[in-house]
C-alpha cells in the first residue's frame, strides 16, 4: 500500500512549528498537508494562532502562554500518523474555470518592455515557453497547458496569489519554464505566468518573474466585492482548488471582462469530493472522470 513519508518537525523560535512532509513537491504530499491543516482547524485547539499550508509542508503559529510547544508537537504527530495513508485524505474541494486568452497583446507588450531582464530578449514570453518545452505549434502548446487542471497548492506572496501544480500528467508532459533572470518591476493584473512547473494568475499589478503566456479574463482578487461568487471573500483561491484554464479568443475575453465590470459574471465552478487514493491509483483517468460535464 502506498504511504507518505514521515513528516519532519522543526521549532521556529518560540511561536512556530514547521512541518516538512517532503523535500520535493508532489501532489500526494500537498494532499497530506491540506488534510492535516483541515483537521487542525476542525479541532480548534486553544492556543493555535494560525495554520498555513504550503507545497509540501505547513507552518503552525501558536501562543506559548496557552499551548506548550511539546503538547502541540504531540498533537501534530498524532494527526500526521492518521494522514499518511491516501485512503484517509478525502477532500471536499472545488473545480474552477479560468478563461484565458493565450499569447495576447498585453503579455507580448510586457515581454518587449522587460526584454533586458530576460534570457532570450528576441522572444516573447509565450514563444520562450514554447521553445523551452519543445513546441513549435502554438495551438499544441496551449492544449498541453490547458488540458488538465492545476492543483492550488498554496496561496501567498501578493494578496490572492495562488500556485497551481498540474495534475494527471507524467513528468515529461508537464509544462515548465525558468523564471526571468531579473524580476520585472511591473506585471499586469490577471496576467497568467509560468515559473518552474507552477502556473499563477497575478492578482494585482506588481513585480514578478514568471513567464507571461496570457491573460485571465476573470479576477482572482476582488477588492470592491462586485462579484456574487466573491461576496464573502476578496480572494478566489482556496488551497486544494482545481483550476482549469480554458482557452478563449479576443471576442470572448472582452465579453467576459465586460460582465466582470458590470458585476454580472458568475464563475464556472463545481464542488467535488476528491479521493487522493483514487488519484494515486488511476492518475490522469481519475482527473478526466472529475472533469466530465465541466
Amino acid at each position: 500500500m502506498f504511504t507518505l513519508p514521515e513528516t519532519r518537525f522543526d521549532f521556529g523560535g518560540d511561536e512556530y512549528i514547521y512541518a516538512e512532509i517532503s523535500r520535493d513537491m508532489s501532489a500526494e504530499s500537498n494532499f497530506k498537508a491540506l488534510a492535516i491543516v483541515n483537521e487542525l482547524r476542525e479541532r480548534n485547539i486553544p492556543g493555535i494562532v494560525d495554520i498555513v499550508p504550503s507545497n509540501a509542508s505547513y507552518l503552525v503559529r501558536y501562543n506559548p502562554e496557552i499551548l506548550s510547544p511539546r503538547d502541540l508537537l504531540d498533537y501534530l504527530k498524532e494527526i500526521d500518523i492518521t494522514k499518511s495513508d491516501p485512503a484517509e485524505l478525502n477532500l471536499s474541494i472545488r473545480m474552477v474555470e479560468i478563461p484565458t486568452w493565450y499569447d495576447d497583446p498585453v503579455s507580448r507588450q510586457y515581454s518587449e518592455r522587460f526584454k533586458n531582464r530576460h534570457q532570450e530578449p528576441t522572444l516573447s514570453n509565450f514563444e520562450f515557453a514554447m521553445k523551452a518545452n519543445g513546441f513549435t505549434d502554438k495551438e499544441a502548446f496551449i492544449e498541453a497547458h490547458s488540458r488538465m487542471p492545476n492543483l492550488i497548492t498554496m496561496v501567498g506572496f501578493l494578496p490572492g496569489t495562488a500556485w497551481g501544480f498540474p495534475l494527471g500528467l507524467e513528468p515529461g508532459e508537464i509544462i515548465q519554464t525558468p523564471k526571468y533572470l531579473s524580476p520585472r518591476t511591473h506585471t499586469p493584473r490577471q496576467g497568467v505566468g509560468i515559473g518552474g512547473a507552477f502556473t499563477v494568475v497575478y492578482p494585482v499589478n506588481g513585480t514578478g518573474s514568471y513567464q507571461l503566456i496570457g491573460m485571465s479574463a476573470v479576477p482572482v482578487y476582488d477588492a470592491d466585492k462586485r462579484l456574487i461568487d466573491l461576496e464573502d471573500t476578496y480572494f478566489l483561491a482556496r488551497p486544494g482548488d482545481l483550476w482549469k484554464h480554458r482557452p478563449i479568443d479576443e471576442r470572448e475575453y472582452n465579453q467576459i471582462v465586460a460582465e466582470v465590470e458590470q458585476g454580472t459574471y458568475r464563475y464556472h465552478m463545481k464542488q467535488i469530493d476528491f479521493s487522493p487514493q483514487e488519484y494515486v491509483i488511476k492518475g490522469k483517468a481519475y482527473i478526466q472522470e472529475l472533469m466530465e460535464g465541466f
Side-chain angles (χ1 to χ4, degrees), residues 184-253:
R184 295 179 300 272
T185 57
H186 195 270
T187 300
R189 179 175 64 93
Q190 296 171 213
V192 177
I194 304 177
F198 290 90
T199 295
V200 303
V201 179
Y202 284 88
V204 295
N205 297 324
T207 60
S209 59
Y210 282 20
Q211 306 292 338
L212 294 172
I213 62 167
M215 290 289 292
S216 166
V218 300
V220 297
Y221 171 59
D222 184 15
D224 299 323
K225 289 185 172 290
R226 294 172 297 174
L227 301 175
I228 295 174
D229 295 312
L230 299 182
E231 61 184 0
D232 296 325
T233 178
Y234 293 107
F235 311 114
L236 176 63
R238 299 177 188 172
D241 276 351
L242 297 181
W243 281 14
K244 174 70 171 60
H245 289 266
R246 179 174 67 84
I248 60 175
D249 58 17
E250 180 179 4
R251 181 198 60 80
E252 187 174 3
Y253 175 87

Side-chain angles (χ1 to χ4, degrees), residues 84-258:
S84 292
D85 180 356
E88 302 297 325
L89 304 186
N90 292 335
L91 302 166
S92 178
I93 62 177
R94 305 177 306 171
M95 186 173 290
V96 183
E97 180 183 271
I98 307 295
T100 302
W101 184 11
Y102 287 89
D103 194 24
D104 66 290
V106 173
S107 61
R108 290 198 297 267
Q109 174 190 348
Y110 274 80
S111 298
E112 177 65 23
R113 178 177 171 185
F114 292 101
K115 65 182 182 181
N116 63 324
R117 298 168 180 261
H118 199 271
Q119 297 92 326
E120 298 202 31
T122 61
L123 299 179
S124 70
N125 288 187
F126 184 91
E127 292 167 338
F128 176 73
M130 282 184 56
K131 179 180 177 181
N133 289 277
F135 286 88
T136 56
D137 180 75
K138 172 179 174 177
E139 297 306 319
F141 175 81
I142 292 172
E143 195 277 332
H145 181 263
S146 63
R147 69 174 176 262
M148 300 297 282
N150 293 319
L151 171 68
I152 300 303
T153 60
M154 66 177 185
V155 179
F157 186 53
L158 295 170
T161 305
W163 279 262
F165 184 79
L167 290 187
L169 299 176
E170 297 297 326
E173 297 178 302
I174 296 175
I175 300 294
Q176 301 188 60
T177 66
K179 298 188 289 185
Y180 270 57
L181 295 177
S182 178
R184 295 179 300 272
T185 57
H186 195 270
T187 300
R189 179 175 64 93
Q190 296 171 213
V192 177
I194 304 177
F198 290 90
T199 295
V200 303
V201 179
Y202 284 88
V204 295
N205 297 324
T207 60
S209 59
Y210 282 20
Q211 306 292 338
L212 294 172
I213 62 167
M215 290 289 292
S216 166
V218 300
V220 297
Y221 171 59
D222 184 15
D224 299 323
K225 289 185 172 290
R226 294 172 297 174
L227 301 175
I228 295 174
D229 295 312
L230 299 182
E231 61 184 0
D232 296 325
T233 178
Y234 293 107
F235 311 114
L236 176 63
R238 299 177 188 172
D241 276 351
L242 297 181
W243 281 14
K244 174 70 171 60
H245 289 266
R246 179 174 67 84
I248 60 175
D249 58 17
E250 180 179 4
R251 181 198 60 80
E252 187 174 3
Y253 175 87
N254 291 331
Q255 177 185 330
I256 294 173
V257 168

Side-chain angles (χ1 to χ4, degrees), residues 15 45-51 60-64 66-67 72:
E15 298 182 5
I45 299 170
I48 290 182
V49 177
D50 198 10
I51 313 162
V60 181
R61 183 182 182 187
Y62 63 95
N63 183 339
I66 300 174
L67 178 63
L72 175 56

Side-chain angles (χ1 to χ4, degrees), residues 21 28-38 53-58 89:
I21 296 169
E28 292 78 14
S29 295
N30 191 251
F31 295 146
K32 180 175 178 177
L34 291 172
I36 291 173
V37 166
N38 290 342
S54 186
N55 289 328
S57 61
Y58 61 94
L89 304 186

